[in-house]
């Protein structure tokens, strides 16, 4: 299909002009029910990675595709694996390996969405941190698609709970990240148990050495797909500010008071810097939380839930910890430290300005970081635009507060609570409107529910006085 051409390195590069004349999904040989479903989902045109990879993926070719979170990569492999799936055959026909549980959960949600129009497609998530028994039961009830982390998938294979002999499609999602986390051997072990005549689709934001090794050992004449640069990038406004080491945090606060973004992802190069910045921002009255590697899964879930449901304004994260987070409508990204790796910079700023929305990417650089800024300029073929710190005046007398507040309900999946039960308690019983209630996340033992700030205290009282699923519950403000 003439969506692009091969460049000097032999990589497939998507035509720039196609990005402006977007292609509909109907040009692909997809099931009519799937095409209808895509319309209903509001997926009217293919994203560049989808247009570049779907023709080859649907033709059964192995692919190595360069794609990042937010590019629509999940649908790129999801549509391909669903097209080949036979829902009447009760066996695992596709396996998606992901580096983290968050990513696996997101991929599962997206595949279920894409499969809505097909008969009864069962998707099972297999990740660590959850009892094996429940996962084994889900597998016994019949799974067509498994999404999981390499370690846990291997565990199920070793115990004989999972069989891959009917597998058609193997997907390695965020392969670079899986290699970073030391999963090469686990991936190899799992892959060796897949039938040799399968299709293998590898997605990766960057191409470290290990990718080539994976391709050589486990793929058949893979086509390389590069979509450069991301289509949304032009909608991202980049502003650079020169700072000194002692004033860096102050400048972050000034940026927040000036631009007043509703949600900001702030990147630091180290865990310690994250902790220090969050302490500083909290002291200044901002609603900020930190996300870094060594948080326990439960803490991480809570931090992410609070940021995604708009009850925390600022998430301060390291690059590694932030990978795989898919948060829509991120108004700003702040590079508190400049990363020495220009690819990482592009990845960071690509978190804002998604799905055609404009985004703000603010970068702070001290003199000793100018070399790194230079590398970024070369990589992006774009000079940096510098702005004066004096321009950063507060634009409101009100503190910057997030629009929502999170309530925690003690009780989760174990108590069979579902989002609908909480919504019912707040709307039908407590009398609030749907618009006053935000995201509801049910985890194993606890449920987080966002509500508008002005009703938060009263909502806690009403829930504590009422019932969910016929039982009294304990509710508190997070
Ligand atoms: P991903 O990169 O797979 O995490 O996808 C990013 C987001 O884009 C997801 O929320 C998808 O639901 C959405 N998305 C994927 N493909 C399309 C499309 N063709 N049109 C509109 N939205 C899309």
């Amino acid at each position: 299909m003439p969506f692009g051409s091969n460049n000097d390195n032999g990589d497939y590069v998507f035509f720039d002009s196609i990005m402006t004349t977007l292609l509909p999904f109907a040009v692909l040989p997809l099931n009519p029910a799937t095409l209808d479903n895509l319309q209903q989902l509001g997926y009217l045109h293919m994203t560049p990675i989808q247009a570049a990879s779907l023709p080859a993926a649907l033709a059964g070719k192995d692919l190595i595709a360069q794609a990042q979170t937010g590019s629509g990569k999940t649908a790129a492999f999801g549509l391909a694996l669903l097209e080949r799936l036979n829902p009447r055959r009760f066996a695992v026909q596709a396996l998606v390996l992901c580096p983290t549980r968050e990513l696996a959960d997101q991929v599962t949600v997206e595949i279920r969405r894409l499969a809505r129009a097909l008969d009864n497609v069962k998707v099972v998530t297999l990740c660590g941190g959850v009892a094996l028994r429940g996962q084994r039961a889900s597998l016994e009830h019949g799974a067509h698609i498994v999404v999981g982390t390499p370690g846990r998938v291997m565990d199920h294979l070793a115990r004989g709970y999972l069989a891959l002999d009917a597998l058609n499609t193997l997907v390695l999602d965020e392969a670079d990240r899986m290699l970073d986390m030391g999963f090469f051997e686990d991936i190899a072990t799992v892959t060796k148990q897949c039938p040799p005549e399968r299709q293998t689709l590898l997605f990766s934001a960057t191409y470290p050495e290990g990718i080539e090794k994976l391709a050589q050992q486990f793929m058949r004449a893979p086509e390389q797909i590069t979509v450069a640069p991301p289509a949304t990038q032009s909608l991202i406004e980049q502003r650079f500010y020169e700072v000194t080491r002692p004033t860096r945090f102050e400048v972050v606060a000034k940026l927040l008071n000036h631009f007043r973004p509703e949600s900001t992802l702030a990147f630091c190069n180290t865990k310690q810097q994250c902790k220090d910045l969050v302490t500083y921002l909290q002291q200044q009255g901002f609603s900020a939380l930190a996300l870094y590697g060594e948080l326990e899964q439960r803490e991480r879930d809570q931090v992410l839930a609070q940021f995604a449901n708009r009850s925390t304004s600022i998430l301060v994260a390291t690059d590694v910890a932030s990978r795989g987070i898919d948060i829509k409508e991120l108004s700003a990204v702040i590079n508190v430290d400049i990363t020495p790796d220009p690819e990482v910079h592009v990845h960071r700023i690509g978190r804002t300005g998604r799905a055609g929305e404009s985004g703000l990417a603010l970068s702070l650089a001290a003199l000793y970081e100018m070399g790194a800024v230079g590398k970024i300029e070369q990589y992006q073929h774009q000079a940096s635009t510098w702005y004066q710190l004096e321009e950063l005046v507060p634009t409101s007398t009100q503190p910057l507060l997030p629009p929502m507040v999170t309530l925690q309900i003690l009780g989760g999946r174990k108590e069979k609570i579902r989002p609908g039960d909480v919504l019912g308690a707040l709307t039908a019983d407590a009398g609030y409107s749907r618009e006053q209630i935000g995201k509801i996340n049910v985890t194993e033992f606890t449920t987080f529910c966002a509500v508008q700030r002005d009703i938060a205290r009263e909502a806690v009282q009403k829930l504590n006085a009422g019932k969910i699923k016929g039982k009294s519950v304990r509710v508190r403000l997070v």
Side-chain angles (χ1 to χ4, degrees):
M1 285 254 192
F3 294 128
S5 63
N6 288 75
N7 68 10
D8 299 343
N9 301 327
D11 296 345
Y12 189 84
V13 177
F14 198 72
F15 287 145
D16 269 357
S17 58
I18 307 282
M19 290 189 194
T20 45
T21 50
L22 297 163
L23 286 164
F25 283 96
V27 302
L28 298 171
L30 287 171
N31 180 324
T34 297
L35 284 174
D36 269 357
N37 181 40
L38 289 168
Q39 281 275 339
Q40 283 173 23
L41 289 173
Y43 294 13
L44 303 180
H45 304 282
M46 287 188 262
T47 65
I49 189 70
Q50 291 163 357
S53 59
L54 274 165
L58 290 169
K61 297 218 172 90
D62 280 8
L63 296 186
I64 299 183
Q66 183 165 28
Q68 327 208 328
T69 308
S71 60
K73 68 184 163 71
T74 316
F77 61 74
L79 290 170
L81 66 85
L82 285 170
E83 207 57 33
R84 197 154 319 123
L85 195 92
N86 177 359
R88 280 181 295 279
R89 179 157 190 214
F90 295 102
V92 174
Q93 296 162 55
L95 170 65
V96 183
L97 291 180
C98 301
T100 63
R101 197 176 96 188
E102 279 97 33
L103 184 65
D105 286 338
Q106 284 164 26
V107 167
T108 303
V109 168
E110 178 79 355
I111 292 181
R112 289 207 178 112
R113 232 185 254 160
L114 296 169
R116 278 195 318 189
L118 308 174
D119 282 340
N120 254 325
V121 173
K122 293 232 171 68
V123 190
V124 169
T125 320
L126 300 181
C127 297
V130 180
L132 277 162
R133 195 149 21 104
Q135 296 180 342
R136 179 189 184 183
S138 305
L139 289 171
E140 278 168 356
H141 283 102
H144 298 105
I145 302 166
V146 167
V147 182
T149 45
R152 184 49 71 100
V153 167
M154 215 167 69
D155 222 359
H156 281 281
L157 283 167
R159 289 164 196 259
Y161 301 163
L162 172 66
L164 297 176
D165 34 291
L167 191 103
N168 297 318
T169 318
L170 171 67
V171 180
L172 305 177
D173 193 13
E174 298 202 357
D176 51 350
R177 175 106 174 84
M178 288 201 280
L179 295 175
D180 271 359
M181 293 169 74
F183 280 142
F184 187 93
E185 287 310 320
D186 291 3
I187 296 172
T189 309
V190 173
T191 306
K192 283 177 192 150
Q193 301 197 41
C194 299
E197 62 282 8
R198 66 171 190 276
Q199 178 183 30
T200 309
L201 304 173
L202 183 153
F203 285 75
S204 195
T206 58
Y207 290 155
E209 267 170 49
I211 301 279
E212 184 60 37
K213 207 164 132 197
L214 279 178
Q216 275 173 5
Q217 290 189 22
F218 302 115
M219 300 180 77
R220 287 184 304 182
E223 241 178 59
Q224 296 233 359
I225 293 188
T226 314
V227 175
T232 49
Q233 204 149 306
S234 53
L235 291 170
I236 299 171
E237 186 184 349
Q238 287 208 64
R239 294 183 177 220
F240 283 77
Y241 295 87
E242 188 175 336
V243 298
T244 56
R245 210 192 289 258
T247 58
R248 204 182 280 272
F249 289 0
E250 253 167 69
V251 175
V252 173
K254 281 188 177 165
L255 288 169
L256 292 167
N257 282 325
H258 180 76
F259 292 105
R260 298 180 69 81
E262 188 177 286
S263 42
T264 302
L265 188 53
F267 287 101
C268 296
N269 289 355
T270 65
K271 179 184 72 195
Q272 192 56 46
Q273 180 88 326
C274 285
K275 289 184 181 172
D276 294 347
L277 177 59
V278 162
T279 308
Y280 174 83
L281 290 175
Q282 288 175 346
Q283 281 165 356
Q284 301 294 313
F286 290 102
S287 140
L289 290 172
L291 189 73
Y292 46 83
E294 69 198 29
L295 290 184
E296 279 183 29
Q297 190 67 42
R298 191 185 297 210
E299 296 169 304
R300 196 180 149 87
D301 285 346
Q302 183 165 342
V303 168
L304 283 172
Q306 281 176 260
F307 187 58
N309 72 17
R310 304 193 298 152
S311 65
T312 291
S313 310
I314 306 134
L315 183 67
V316 182
T318 56
D319 293 295
V320 170
S322 78
R323 288 267 210 127
I325 314 177
D326 177 25
I327 290 172
K328 287 188 194 138
E329 297 162 49
L330 201 54
S331 347
V333 164
I334 301 182
N335 293 306
V336 180
D337 302 308
I338 299 290
T339 163
D341 181 344
E343 255 181 82
V344 170
H345 178 85
V346 170
H347 203 115
R348 285 178 172 184
I349 66 169
R351 300 308 190 87
T352 183
R354 293 242 184 116
E357 296 288 317
S358 60
L360 198 55
L362 308 167
S363 302
L364 308 188
L367 274 180
Y368 62 88
E369 291 167 306
M370 292 304 164
V373 173
K375 280 209 288 188
I376 289 169
E377 293 182 331
Q378 283 171 19
Y379 184 76
Q380 296 192 308
H381 303 293
Q382 191 186 331
S384 320
T385 320
W386 294 86
Y387 288 77
Q388 299 300 318
L389 294 177
E390 294 73 55
E391 293 166 13
L392 297 177
V393 289
T395 47
S396 164
T397 51
Q398 299 298 315
L400 176 65
L401 288 175
M404 310 297 275
V405 170
T406 299
L407 314 186
Q408 182 179 21
I409 301 163
L410 302 183
R413 274 196 297 272
K414 273 268 181 301
E415 285 72 30
K416 306 231 182 316
I417 291 183
R418 282 176 311 180
D421 304 325
V422 179
L423 190 61
L426 284 164
T427 53
D429 306 349
Y432 295 116
S433 71
R434 178 71 191 87
E435 288 67 42
Q436 291 174 295
I437 318 300
K439 275 198 178 158
I440 301 172
N441 299 82
V442 182
T443 69
E444 199 164 5
F445 300 106
T446 187
T447 299
F448 298 108
C449 171
V451 300
Q452 283 181 358
R453 177 167 295 277
D454 53 334
I455 64 162
R457 285 189 185 283
E458 189 195 58
V460 169
Q461 283 165 8
K462 286 191 176 176
L463 286 176
N464 273 321
K467 291 195 160 141
I468 294 180
K469 283 234 127 144
K471 283 200 204 117
S472 300
V473 285
R474 298 235 326 270
V475 183
R476 62 174 194 106
L477 286 178
V478 174

